[in-house]
Amino acid sequence: MVRFRHDPRRGSHRVRSPHCFLAGFSGGGISGEEARKLAATALHHGARWAVITRGGDGALLAGPDGVHQAPAVPVHPVDTLGAGDTFIARTLVGLLRKEAPEAILRSAGEAAAQTCLAPGAFGYGVPMMVDLSSALTIEEIYAKTTPVPGPEVEPAGAGV
């Protein structure tokens, strides 16, 4: 999977995705027509599937069987941080499970909406219950583990 943030100043001609199963784009602020063109460009350059999230304007999923669109799931967001990432991740899961595109978009929209109901990572202290009773010190970790050997490296000039 490849993840892009669409920047109209750079143009979609920079999209290259050979051998890519899913190209994901954050396309907030672009029109539906621009999203379709962006998806077509990604498919043309090798992506099997392309998903473009457009915030409150919904999302588009394009692939071998055509273009599918879905509206955004209505939500009163607490924070939108991570919503697009959640949408794209759920889309990838749906594609790997061979779900129908319409079902993928619906499930991804619901997952993204749920993400919007919690504070994001920046500026919010989130209390966590962590059991440290079995935690090891760094010295204990090094005493109980064995380093993994590195890759074999041919000496300079070998094999020439």
Side-chain angles (χ1 to χ4, degrees):
M1 192 190 117
V2 178
R3 176 88 154 89
F4 299 94
R5 296 231 181 250
H6 179 65
D7 183 348
R9 295 169 295 173
R10 294 187 177 183
S12 59
H13 67 280
R14 295 182 182 259
V15 174
R16 299 289 183 262
S17 50
H19 315 294
C20 178
F21 181 73
L22 174 63
F25 297 88
S26 295
I30 67 172
S31 70
E33 182 59 30
E34 289 172 308
R36 283 187 289 283
K37 287 179 182 177
L38 183 58
T41 299
L43 298 179
H44 174 76
H45 288 288
R48 182 161 179 201
W49 292 93
V51 62
I52 295 95
T53 58
R54 298 177 50 232
D57 293 323
L60 176 145
L61 177 62
D65 64 342
V67 177
H68 308 272
Q69 297 184 71
V73 173
V75 66
H76 294 289
V78 171
D79 190 343
T80 60
L81 183 69
D85 295 325
T86 299
F87 192 101
I88 291 171
R90 179 57 182 91
T91 298
L92 179 59
V93 168
L95 290 170
L96 293 173
R97 290 179 177 168
K98 300 187 183 329
E99 296 172 359
E102 295 80 12
I104 292 170
L105 289 171
R106 184 175 49 255
S107 295
E110 291 167 1
Q114 287 297 311
T115 297
C116 292
L117 298 177
F122 299 106
Y124 300 98
V126 179
M128 295 175 55
M129 295 296 294
V130 178
D131 178 11
L132 297 176
S133 64
S134 61
L136 301 174
T137 67
I138 194 71
E139 291 81 14
E140 291 170 321
I141 292 170
Y142 282 122
K144 293 182 179 187
T145 59
T146 304
V148 176
E152 295 294 323
V153 179
E154 284 190 28
V160 176

